[in-house]
Amino acid sequence: MKNVMLIISMLLLCIGVGAQTAKNVGKAGAVVKTVKAEERPEVLIETTMGNIRVALYNETPLHRDNFLKLIREYHYYDSLLFHRVIPDFMIQAGDPYSKNAPKGAVLGDHSLDYTIPAEIRLPQIYHKRGALAAAREPDMVNPKRESSSSQFYIVYGRKQDERGLQRGRDNLRQLFGDSIQMTDEMREVYTTVGGTPHLDGGYTVFGEVLEGMDVVDRIQRVERDANDRPLEDVRIVKATILKDLPGMEKKPKKVMKRVAKKSVRRK
Protein backbone atom coordinates (compact mmCIF):
# COMPACT_ATOMS: atom_id res chain seq x y z
CA MET A 1 0.00 0.00 0.00
CA LYS A 2 1.42 3.34 -1.01
CA ASN A 3 2.37 5.95 1.58
CA VAL A 4 0.74 8.69 -0.44
CA MET A 5 -2.07 10.92 0.86
CA LEU A 6 -4.69 12.10 -1.57
CA ILE A 7 -7.04 14.90 -0.52
CA ILE A 8 -10.29 15.12 -2.43
CA SER A 9 -12.08 18.45 -2.14
CA MET A 10 -15.42 16.97 -1.14
CA LEU A 11 -17.29 16.36 2.15
CA LEU A 12 -17.31 13.07 4.06
CA LEU A 13 -19.23 10.26 2.42
CA CYS A 14 -22.42 10.03 4.44
CA ILE A 15 -22.70 6.27 4.39
CA GLY A 16 -19.73 6.10 6.75
CA VAL A 17 -17.25 3.29 7.17
CA GLY A 18 -17.03 -0.42 7.77
CA ALA A 19 -20.00 -2.23 9.27
CA GLN A 20 -22.03 0.94 9.54
CA THR A 21 -21.84 1.44 5.80
CA ALA A 22 -22.80 -2.12 5.01
CA LYS A 23 -25.78 -1.77 7.32
CA ASN A 24 -27.00 1.38 5.60
CA VAL A 25 -26.61 -0.07 2.13
CA GLY A 26 -28.45 -3.17 3.28
CA LYS A 27 -31.40 -1.06 4.37
CA ALA A 28 -31.53 0.54 0.95
CA GLY A 29 -31.54 -2.88 -0.68
CA ALA A 30 -34.41 -4.05 1.51
CA VAL A 31 -36.59 -1.20 0.32
CA VAL A 32 -36.44 -2.29 -3.31
CA LYS A 33 -36.70 -6.07 -3.02
CA THR A 34 -39.94 -6.02 -5.00
CA VAL A 35 -38.29 -4.60 -8.14
CA LYS A 36 -38.66 -7.18 -10.92
CA ALA A 37 -35.60 -8.70 -12.55
CA GLU A 38 -36.53 -7.29 -15.97
CA GLU A 39 -36.64 -3.79 -14.47
CA ARG A 40 -32.92 -3.58 -13.85
CA PRO A 41 -31.25 -0.21 -13.34
CA GLU A 42 -28.97 0.89 -16.16
CA VAL A 43 -25.82 3.01 -16.16
CA LEU A 44 -23.95 4.67 -19.01
CA ILE A 45 -20.17 4.73 -18.62
CA GLU A 46 -18.74 7.28 -21.05
CA THR A 47 -15.02 6.74 -21.66
CA THR A 48 -12.37 8.35 -23.79
CA MET A 49 -12.61 5.30 -26.08
CA GLY A 50 -16.40 5.09 -26.33
CA ASN A 51 -19.52 4.36 -24.30
CA ILE A 52 -20.45 1.27 -22.29
CA ARG A 53 -24.04 0.69 -21.12
CA VAL A 54 -24.49 -1.72 -18.23
CA ALA A 55 -27.44 -3.21 -16.34
CA LEU A 56 -27.25 -3.89 -12.61
CA TYR A 57 -28.70 -7.06 -11.11
CA ASN A 58 -31.53 -6.81 -8.60
CA GLU A 59 -30.31 -10.17 -7.29
CA THR A 60 -27.28 -8.35 -5.82
CA PRO A 61 -28.99 -5.38 -4.10
CA LEU A 62 -26.09 -4.31 -1.88
CA HIS A 63 -23.71 -3.93 -4.81
CA ARG A 64 -26.40 -2.45 -7.05
CA ASP A 65 -27.39 0.19 -4.51
CA ASN A 66 -23.79 1.10 -3.69
CA PHE A 67 -22.86 1.54 -7.36
CA LEU A 68 -25.93 3.68 -8.00
CA LYS A 69 -25.34 5.74 -4.87
CA LEU A 70 -21.76 6.56 -5.85
CA ILE A 71 -22.94 7.70 -9.27
CA ARG A 72 -26.19 9.39 -8.29
CA GLU A 73 -25.07 11.29 -5.24
CA TYR A 74 -21.31 11.74 -5.65
CA HIS A 75 -20.49 11.50 -9.37
CA TYR A 76 -17.70 9.34 -7.98
CA TYR A 77 -16.46 7.67 -11.17
CA ASP A 78 -16.20 10.84 -13.26
CA SER A 79 -12.57 11.32 -14.42
CA LEU A 80 -11.24 8.07 -12.92
CA LEU A 81 -9.01 5.82 -15.02
CA PHE A 82 -9.22 2.25 -16.17
CA HIS A 83 -5.99 1.67 -14.29
CA ARG A 84 -5.56 -2.04 -15.02
CA VAL A 85 -6.26 -3.84 -18.30
CA ILE A 86 -5.27 -7.34 -19.33
CA PRO A 87 -5.94 -8.70 -22.84
CA ASP A 88 -8.45 -11.57 -22.99
CA PHE A 89 -9.17 -11.09 -19.29
CA MET A 90 -10.70 -7.84 -17.99
CA ILE A 91 -10.57 -4.05 -17.56
CA GLN A 92 -10.61 -2.52 -14.07
CA ALA A 93 -11.42 0.94 -12.67
CA GLY A 94 -12.51 2.70 -9.50
CA ASP A 95 -9.28 3.57 -7.68
CA PRO A 96 -9.91 7.12 -6.35
CA TYR A 97 -6.18 7.88 -6.59
CA SER A 98 -6.33 7.45 -10.36
CA LYS A 99 -8.14 10.74 -11.01
CA ASN A 100 -5.01 12.88 -10.97
CA ALA A 101 -2.36 10.18 -11.13
CA PRO A 102 0.85 11.05 -13.00
CA LYS A 103 1.99 8.92 -15.90
CA GLY A 104 3.49 5.63 -14.79
CA ALA A 105 2.21 5.77 -11.21
CA VAL A 106 1.23 2.37 -9.82
CA LEU A 107 -2.52 2.30 -9.19
CA GLY A 108 -5.09 -0.13 -7.83
CA ASP A 109 -4.29 -0.14 -4.12
CA HIS A 110 -7.06 2.13 -2.91
CA SER A 111 -10.79 2.24 -2.42
CA LEU A 112 -13.29 3.98 -0.14
CA ASP A 113 -13.10 3.06 3.54
CA TYR A 114 -15.72 0.33 3.68
CA THR A 115 -16.46 -3.02 2.06
CA ILE A 116 -19.63 -4.68 0.77
CA PRO A 117 -20.71 -8.18 1.88
CA ALA A 118 -20.32 -10.79 -0.85
CA GLU A 119 -23.41 -11.51 -2.96
CA ILE A 120 -22.29 -14.52 -4.99
CA ARG A 121 -25.29 -15.90 -6.89
CA LEU A 122 -24.05 -19.06 -8.57
CA PRO A 123 -24.94 -20.78 -10.80
CA GLN A 124 -27.38 -18.15 -12.10
CA ILE A 125 -24.87 -15.28 -12.22
CA TYR A 126 -21.32 -15.97 -13.34
CA HIS A 127 -18.26 -14.50 -15.07
CA LYS A 128 -19.44 -14.59 -18.67
CA ARG A 129 -18.02 -12.12 -21.18
CA GLY A 130 -19.46 -8.69 -20.33
CA ALA A 131 -19.97 -9.43 -16.63
CA LEU A 132 -19.62 -6.44 -14.29
CA ALA A 133 -18.00 -7.51 -11.01
CA ALA A 134 -16.47 -6.09 -7.84
CA ALA A 135 -12.75 -6.25 -7.08
CA ARG A 136 -11.64 -7.24 -3.58
CA GLU A 137 -8.71 -8.17 -1.37
CA PRO A 138 -7.49 -11.80 -1.37
CA ASP A 139 -8.81 -14.57 0.87
CA MET A 140 -5.86 -14.46 3.26
CA VAL A 141 -6.98 -11.06 4.55
CA ASN A 142 -10.59 -11.23 3.38
CA PRO A 143 -11.99 -14.73 4.04
CA LYS A 144 -15.60 -13.56 3.62
CA ARG A 145 -14.76 -12.29 0.11
CA GLU A 146 -16.19 -8.85 0.82
CA SER A 147 -16.05 -6.48 -2.13
CA SER A 148 -14.27 -3.20 -2.64
CA SER A 149 -16.60 -0.25 -2.17
CA SER A 150 -15.58 1.33 -5.47
CA GLN A 151 -13.32 -0.79 -7.68
CA PHE A 152 -15.02 -2.84 -10.39
CA TYR A 153 -13.98 -4.80 -13.45
CA ILE A 154 -15.65 -5.80 -16.70
CA VAL A 155 -14.90 -9.30 -17.95
CA TYR A 156 -13.69 -9.90 -21.48
CA GLY A 157 -12.11 -13.31 -21.09
CA ARG A 158 -11.85 -15.79 -23.91
CA LYS A 159 -13.77 -18.70 -25.38
CA GLN A 160 -12.89 -21.62 -23.15
CA ASP A 161 -11.63 -25.03 -24.14
CA GLU A 162 -11.94 -28.11 -21.94
CA ARG A 163 -8.85 -27.13 -19.98
CA GLY A 164 -10.35 -23.75 -19.10
CA LEU A 165 -13.67 -25.32 -18.16
CA GLN A 166 -11.90 -27.83 -15.93
CA ARG A 167 -10.05 -25.04 -14.16
CA GLY A 168 -13.43 -23.47 -13.44
CA ARG A 169 -14.88 -26.76 -12.20
CA ASP A 170 -11.90 -27.38 -9.96
CA ASN A 171 -12.25 -23.91 -8.48
CA LEU A 172 -15.95 -24.46 -7.72
CA ARG A 173 -15.20 -27.81 -6.12
CA GLN A 174 -12.51 -26.26 -3.94
CA LEU A 175 -14.85 -23.47 -2.81
CA PHE A 176 -18.17 -25.31 -2.53
CA GLY A 177 -17.54 -29.05 -2.70
CA ASP A 178 -20.40 -30.62 -4.67
CA SER A 179 -23.01 -28.06 -3.61
CA ILE A 180 -22.46 -25.79 -6.65
CA GLN A 181 -21.41 -27.14 -10.04
CA MET A 182 -20.93 -25.71 -13.50
CA THR A 183 -24.23 -25.98 -15.39
CA ASP A 184 -24.84 -26.84 -19.03
CA GLU A 185 -25.75 -23.19 -19.65
CA MET A 186 -22.47 -21.99 -18.14
CA ARG A 187 -20.48 -24.45 -20.26
CA GLU A 188 -22.30 -23.35 -23.41
CA VAL A 189 -21.71 -19.64 -22.75
CA TYR A 190 -18.07 -20.10 -21.75
CA THR A 191 -17.27 -22.12 -24.89
CA THR A 192 -19.25 -20.07 -27.43
CA VAL A 193 -19.23 -16.51 -26.01
CA GLY A 194 -16.35 -16.47 -23.52
CA GLY A 195 -15.58 -15.43 -19.99
CA THR A 196 -13.41 -16.25 -16.97
CA PRO A 197 -14.81 -19.34 -15.19
CA HIS A 198 -11.89 -19.58 -12.76
CA LEU A 199 -13.19 -16.41 -11.01
CA ASP A 200 -16.62 -17.89 -10.27
CA GLY A 201 -17.36 -18.04 -6.56
CA GLY A 202 -14.50 -15.74 -5.65
CA TYR A 203 -15.95 -12.38 -6.66
CA THR A 204 -19.42 -10.84 -6.77
CA VAL A 205 -20.83 -10.32 -10.26
CA PHE A 206 -23.46 -7.58 -9.99
CA GLY A 207 -24.28 -6.59 -13.56
CA GLU A 208 -23.56 -7.01 -17.25
CA VAL A 209 -22.76 -4.99 -20.36
CA LEU A 210 -25.77 -4.32 -22.59
CA GLU A 211 -23.95 -2.25 -25.21
CA GLY A 212 -20.31 -1.38 -25.77
CA MET A 213 -18.40 -4.66 -25.69
CA ASP A 214 -16.54 -3.34 -28.73
CA VAL A 215 -15.32 -0.53 -26.46
CA VAL A 216 -14.29 -3.03 -23.78
CA ASP A 217 -12.45 -4.95 -26.48
CA ARG A 218 -10.54 -1.86 -27.59
CA ILE A 219 -9.64 -0.88 -24.03
CA GLN A 220 -8.31 -4.30 -23.09
CA ARG A 221 -5.98 -4.28 -26.09
CA VAL A 222 -4.23 -0.96 -25.52
CA GLU A 223 -0.51 -0.87 -24.83
CA ARG A 224 0.29 -1.14 -21.12
CA ASP A 225 3.21 -1.07 -18.72
CA ALA A 226 4.58 -3.80 -16.45
CA ASN A 227 1.78 -3.09 -13.94
CA ASP A 228 -0.93 -3.47 -16.62
CA ARG A 229 -1.69 0.25 -16.61
CA PRO A 230 -2.40 1.68 -20.07
CA LEU A 231 0.49 3.77 -21.39
CA GLU A 232 -2.05 6.33 -22.59
CA ASP A 233 -4.76 7.07 -20.03
CA VAL A 234 -8.16 5.53 -20.65
CA ARG A 235 -10.52 7.65 -18.59
CA ILE A 236 -14.14 7.44 -17.49
CA VAL A 237 -15.36 10.83 -18.65
CA LYS A 238 -18.72 10.45 -16.92
CA ALA A 239 -20.96 7.79 -15.40
CA THR A 240 -24.69 8.51 -15.40
CA ILE A 241 -27.80 6.59 -14.44
CA LEU A 242 -30.08 5.91 -17.39
CA LYS A 243 -32.66 3.96 -15.41
CA ASP A 244 -32.77 4.39 -11.64
CA LEU A 245 -34.60 2.55 -8.89
CA PRO A 246 -38.21 3.65 -8.33
CA GLY A 247 -38.39 6.80 -6.22
CA MET A 248 -34.64 7.51 -6.38
CA GLU A 249 -34.48 9.54 -9.58
CA LYS A 250 -34.38 12.97 -7.90
CA LYS A 251 -31.96 12.30 -5.06
CA PRO A 252 -29.71 15.35 -4.53
CA LYS A 253 -26.01 15.26 -5.29
CA LYS A 254 -23.69 14.97 -2.29
CA VAL A 255 -19.94 15.11 -2.06
CA MET A 256 -17.27 13.22 -0.17
CA LYS A 257 -14.16 14.49 1.51
CA ARG A 258 -11.78 11.61 1.93
CA VAL A 259 -10.66 8.28 0.63
CA ALA A 260 -9.36 5.50 2.81
CA LYS A 261 -5.92 4.06 2.21
CA LYS A 262 -7.47 0.62 1.84
CA SER A 263 -5.57 -1.81 -0.33
CA VAL A 264 -7.33 -3.69 -3.11
CA ARG A 265 -4.85 -6.33 -4.14
CA ARG A 266 -4.56 -7.97 -7.49
CA LYS A 267 -6.36 -11.12 -8.55
Side-chain angles (χ1 to χ4, degrees), residues 192-211:
T192 61
V193 178
T196 54
H198 66 281
L199 298 182
D200 285 339
Y203 300 81
T204 295
V205 176
F206 64 96
E208 64 180 86
V209 173
L210 299 178
E211 295 178 355

Side-chain angles (χ1 to χ4, degrees), residues 152-246:
F152 68 88
Y153 59 95
I154 298 175
V155 172
Y156 193 81
R158 64 179 70 205
K159 293 180 182 179
Q160 299 294 321
D161 55 17
E162 185 55 36
R163 181 178 179 182
L165 293 177
Q166 190 58 50
R167 184 183 177 191
R169 294 190 198 99
D170 292 344
N171 180 65
L172 291 178
R173 187 175 299 110
Q174 181 178 358
L175 292 173
F176 306 109
D178 293 327
S179 62
I180 296 178
Q181 298 182 17
M182 186 178 292
T183 64
D184 290 341
E185 175 192 313
M186 294 168 71
R187 286 193 291 271
E188 176 71 14
V189 170
Y190 280 139
T191 55
T192 61
V193 178
T196 54
H198 66 281
L199 298 182
D200 285 339
Y203 300 81
T204 295
V205 176
F206 64 96
E208 64 180 86
V209 173
L210 299 178
E211 295 178 355
M213 279 307 297
D214 58 326
V215 178
V216 177
D217 185 17
R218 290 198 297 272
I219 293 173
Q220 54 116 25
R221 297 192 185 282
V222 300
E223 291 187 73
R224 55 207 171 91
D225 63 19
N227 295 302
D228 297 317
R229 177 179 169 178
L231 296 181
E232 297 297 327
D233 288 344
V234 180
R235 192 173 299 277
I236 297 174
V237 177
K238 187 177 183 181
T240 54
I241 299 173
L242 299 178
K243 185 194 298 184
D244 208 338
L245 296 170

Side-chain angles (χ1 to χ4, degrees), residues 23-64:
K23 183 178 180 182
N24 291 340
V25 176
K27 286 181 179 178
V31 173
V32 293
K33 280 184 177 178
T34 58
V35 177
K36 296 179 181 179
E38 62 269 21
E39 297 174 345
R40 292 169 173 162
E42 295 181 13
V43 169
L44 181 66
I45 303 172
E46 300 175 56
T47 83
T48 51
M49 295 189 70
N51 296 345
I52 305 168
R53 182 167 67 95
V54 300
L56 307 181
Y57 295 147
N58 295 314
E59 297 87 342
T60 54
L62 303 183
H63 288 72
R64 174 201 63 195

Side-chain angles (χ1 to χ4, degrees), residues 22-166:
K23 183 178 180 182
N24 291 340
V25 176
K27 286 181 179 178
V31 173
V32 293
K33 280 184 177 178
T34 58
V35 177
K36 296 179 181 179
E38 62 269 21
E39 297 174 345
R40 292 169 173 162
E42 295 181 13
V43 169
L44 181 66
I45 303 172
E46 300 175 56
T47 83
T48 51
M49 295 189 70
N51 296 345
I52 305 168
R53 182 167 67 95
V54 300
L56 307 181
Y57 295 147
N58 295 314
E59 297 87 342
T60 54
L62 303 183
H63 288 72
R64 174 201 63 195
D65 293 357
N66 180 73
F67 198 66
L68 290 172
K69 188 180 187 74
L70 291 180
I71 296 169
R72 182 197 306 117
E73 301 185 23
Y74 307 108
H75 295 200
Y76 173 81
Y77 292 104
D78 296 3
S79 296
L80 298 190
L81 300 178
F82 280 99
H83 63 268
R84 184 177 178 231
V85 304
I86 301 178
D88 298 322
F89 185 37
M90 59 93 225
I91 63 175
Q92 186 169 334
D95 183 339
Y97 278 48
S98 70
K99 186 172 184 177
N100 299 305
K103 294 283 187 181
V106 178
L107 298 169
D109 287 342
H110 295 85
S111 181
L112 299 177
D113 53 0
Y114 63 95
T115 56
I116 307 170
E119 295 180 295
I120 295 168
R121 302 290 186 250
L122 288 169
Q124 293 81 12
I125 298 174
Y126 50 95
H127 282 79
K128 64 184 180 181
R129 178 168 290 173
L132 171 68
R136 67 171 179 87
E137 292 206 76
D139 290 357
M140 65 184 71
V141 294
N142 181 25
K144 293 183 179 180
R145 302 186 179 95
E146 295 183 340
S147 299
S148 160
S149 53
S150 63
Q151 288 204 38
F152 68 88
Y153 59 95
I154 298 175
V155 172
Y156 193 81
R158 64 179 70 205
K159 293 180 182 179
Q160 299 294 321
D161 55 17
E162 185 55 36
R163 181 178 179 182
L165 293 177
Q166 190 58 50

